[in-house]
Amino acid sequence: MDSLQILLGILSPSVLLVIFVGVLIGIIVGAIPGLNGAIGISLLLPITFTLEPQIGLLLLGGIYMGGMYGGSITAILLNVPGDVVAAPAAMEGYPLTKQGRSKEALYYSIFSSMFGGVIGVLILIFFTPPLARFALQFGPAEMFFIALSGLVVIGALGGNIYKSLFAVFFGLFISTIGVDAITASQRFTMGNINLRSGISVVPVVLGLFCLAEMFLNIGKKSNELVTYKEQNIKRITVIKDIVKHKMLVIKGSLIGTFVGLLPGVGTTLAVFLSYGEAKRVSEKPEDFENGNVEGIIAAESANNATVGSTMVPLLALGVPGSPTTAIIAGALIIHGIILGPSLFVQRPDVAYTFIFGMMMTVVAMTIIGAFGIKYFAYILKIKMEYIVPTVLVFTLFGAYSLRNNVFDILIALVLGVVGAIFKKTGVPLAPIIIGVVLGGLIETNLVRSMTIAEARQISLIQYMLTNPLAIGLLALVCVIFYVVIKMRVKTKSVS
């Protein structure tokens, strides 16, 4: 099957319809608190069994791409991120909404997602085999240093350093609750059987961000609430400004691509690493968390760039790098398609149609997002007495849907109250999320490194510094740590 035939197949009306429907579903699901692309793909997975493999894959790919962007809509308008990866969009977008610049923030989100998505898919198209081999070089030591670098980045997120440290340790504490995966010992479960499986990041995010924001809105007077304000801003103006910040887009997309390659790391680390880097190089770092579009550009470009890179180890090696790609892998297996290097030889029609078709998912996301912003912003016209119960229902449903566990709803409610208190007292919420996400990753890879070192009868330090790649990553952690301290001193002297 030649390239022209593949291209004509992708541009056929029926395939384009499937792509647009998939992206639209992804955006809607992504905007609902607690739901994400993985859940949307799970719900529509049975439908793909009636379609040709490549068409079914593009439907799922469209949901994946749309879901990555959709979470930023409610994050910007209501300070209610649809998914954890939309937290930085809430941190910068919601202050813009309070300034009457919601439309502008939404434009920055969609067009940054577009640029990141294009770069991620281009890398998927041209560099799949070599990048997949590179990803295999990362063992427990390398993954430990990658996760540690994400933890160090917390220092760049601003706010009182002591409150930030408290927040990250609180997040790390949450990540330790449950049964230890290595020793099978129970930690901080207090005899509660529901805590043995640990606390998922989803109810944590929903509680700290969604429920806390809604709790704080209850009882507010009408003049204290955010309302819709008409804003006259052209799309081309935002695109030109994003192009002026091209280094932010490139760095964000490359960070998203790199982190997306690593199985099990997830998009959250990529988003916060990119956000922290944007603040580091900004001429006005003190404006972050007060409505700085640079934060949106960096986070959203990294967010959608991960979509393409997470597909690299899946298609080239048969190794899914995230829960979403694992579900996509299941769809392929059910169709009788074997993943890995043989995929490009035995079923090139499926492989190349999917790879090139992913570029069309970016186009569909951009069209739907850019022309739908006018209607998205109308959410602010709805009275808060209607928004609060609606968001509460969707949030509690989202908390329940992940594991079908009522206890997760209780966790979300408790953390909603905690989040409201933290917001009132100035404790930052983002470090808590990073601590929860990275805590398990750091612990697991540290324990694995200790086990391997013991088996080889060498010290832990000797094992972790054997590989040149690990040494390079350790040097990167030290550089980031130095830069963060320097930036903290600079910010303190400016203020």
Side-chain angles (χ1 to χ4, degrees):
M1 178 176 281
D2 57 29
S3 299
L4 180 60
Q5 193 175 352
I6 291 174
L7 184 61
L8 291 174
I10 293 172
L11 295 177
S12 65
S14 59
V15 175
L16 288 177
L17 177 63
V18 168
I19 291 173
F20 271 82
V21 168
V23 171
L24 180 60
I25 292 172
I27 291 174
I28 294 171
V29 171
I32 298 174
L35 304 187
N36 52 37
I39 293 175
I41 288 174
S42 300
L43 293 174
L44 291 183
L45 188 61
I47 296 177
T48 63
F49 304 153
T50 63
L51 303 172
E52 294 181 22
Q54 56 268 42
I55 307 302
L57 269 180
L58 285 177
L59 174 66
L60 302 182
I63 296 172
Y64 191 8
M65 185 67 74
M68 282 296 185
Y69 159 68
S72 67
I73 297 173
T74 46
I76 290 171
L77 296 176
L78 302 173
N79 201 22
V80 176
D83 193 12
V84 60
V85 296
M91 292 159 62
E92 300 300 336
Y94 189 64
L96 289 172
T97 296
K98 291 196 288 187
Q99 297 167 24
R101 299 164 62 191
S102 59
K103 200 173 180 181
E104 179 184 354
L106 289 169
Y107 276 140
Y108 273 102
S109 175
I110 182 57
F111 291 124
S112 300
S113 295
M114 175 192 73
F115 284 115
V118 168
I119 293 174
V121 173
L122 286 175
I123 289 172
L124 171 66
I125 292 172
F126 292 109
F127 301 105
T128 291
L131 285 177
R133 289 193 293 270
F134 172 70
L136 288 178
Q137 302 300 315
F138 284 76
E142 291 77 15
M143 298 294 281
F144 171 79
F145 288 129
I146 286 288
L148 195 61
S149 68
L151 213 57
V152 174
V153 167
I154 292 173
L157 295 183
N160 182 288
I161 186 64
Y162 300 108
K163 291 181 179 179
S164 295
L165 285 173
F166 167 76
V168 71
F169 280 117
F170 182 66
L172 289 172
F173 167 73
I174 292 175
S175 72
T176 62
I177 295 173
V179 175
D180 188 302
I182 307 298
T183 65
S185 59
Q186 295 186 34
R187 301 180 301 190
F188 308 113
T189 59
M190 297 172 286
N192 191 319
I193 191 172
N194 293 295
L195 288 174
R196 290 181 182 176
S197 57
I199 296 178
S200 168
V201 69
V202 172
V204 174
V205 173
L206 293 177
L208 293 177
F209 281 92
C210 304
L211 292 181
E213 185 65 28
M214 293 301 104
F215 290 162
L216 291 175
N217 278 318
I218 295 173
K220 276 189 177 181
K221 298 178 181 178
S222 58
N223 61 346
E224 297 177 313
L225 299 172
V226 178
T227 56
Y228 175 78
K229 295 177 183 177
E230 189 62 47
Q231 186 184 11
N232 185 21
I233 184 168
K234 295 181 179 179
R235 301 181 186 94
I236 192 65
T237 304
V238 174
I239 293 175
K240 287 180 178 178
D241 190 53
I242 293 176
V243 172
K244 288 180 182 178
H245 291 89
K246 55 183 176 293
M247 289 309 299
L248 272 182
V249 175
I250 293 172
K251 282 196 286 188
S253 300
L254 291 178
I255 289 172
T257 298
F258 173 70
V259 175
L261 284 171
L262 308 177
V265 176
T267 306
T268 307
L269 176 58
V271 169
F272 279 102
L273 278 175
S274 182
Y275 179 80
E277 172 63 15
K279 183 174 182 180
R280 184 188 71 81
V281 301
S282 176
E283 295 179 357
K284 296 181 178 180
E286 65 277 5
D287 288 348
F288 275 67
E289 298 186 47
N290 293 308
N292 194 321
V293 296
E294 293 176 4
I296 298 177
I297 294 171
E300 290 303 299
S301 58
N303 186 7
N304 281 76
T306 60
V307 175
S309 60
T310 54
M311 296 292 183
V312 170
L314 174 68
L315 297 178
L317 303 171
V319 179
S322 67
T324 307
T325 53
I327 299 170
I328 293 175
L332 283 168
I333 293 170
I334 290 172
H335 278 286
I337 297 172
I338 299 174
L339 293 165
S342 61
L343 173 66
F344 294 87
V345 178
Q346 297 178 359
R347 293 301 302 270
D349 55 327
V350 174
Y352 290 109
T353 299
F354 178 60
I355 287 175
F356 290 109
M358 285 302 293
M359 188 61 75
M360 285 307 302
T361 66
V362 179
V363 174
M365 176 192 70
T366 306
I367 293 173
I368 295 172
F371 289 96
I373 281 173
K374 175 183 177 181
Y375 305 101
F376 298 155
Y378 286 165
I379 292 175
L380 296 176
K381 288 187 174 183
I382 303 173
K383 292 182 178 181
M384 190 55 69
E385 51 259 40
Y386 300 127
I387 290 180
V388 170
T390 303
V391 171
L392 287 176
V393 168
F394 278 120
T395 300
L396 297 180
F397 172 73
Y400 173 80
S401 65
L402 181 69
R403 300 191 295 186
N404 296 328
N405 190 346
V406 177
F407 189 76
D408 284 343
I409 296 178
L410 179 61
I411 293 293
L413 288 170
V414 170
L415 288 176
V417 175
V418 172
I421 295 172
F422 282 175
K423 283 189 174 188
K424 285 288 188 181
T425 55
V427 176
L429 302 180
I432 300 176
I433 304 302
I434 298 178
V436 174
V437 171
L438 297 183
L441 196 63
I442 290 173
E443 180 188 11
T444 300
N445 286 289
L446 179 61
V447 172
R448 286 175 180 171
S449 297
M450 293 170 64
T451 304
I452 294 172
E454 186 179 352
R456 294 182 180 180
Q457 296 183 341
I458 58 177
S459 66
L460 176 64
I461 295 176
Q462 188 177 352
Y463 164 72
M464 299 191 84
L465 298 180
T466 300
N467 193 329
L469 181 58
I471 296 173
L473 290 170
L474 175 59
L476 176 64
V477 172
C478 295
V479 170
I480 294 174
F481 186 69
Y482 169 76
V483 169
V484 167
I485 292 176
K486 190 175 179 181
M487 189 176 73
R488 278 281 183 178
V489 172
K490 178 184 175 182
T491 305
K492 189 175 181 180
S493 62
V494 170
S495 58

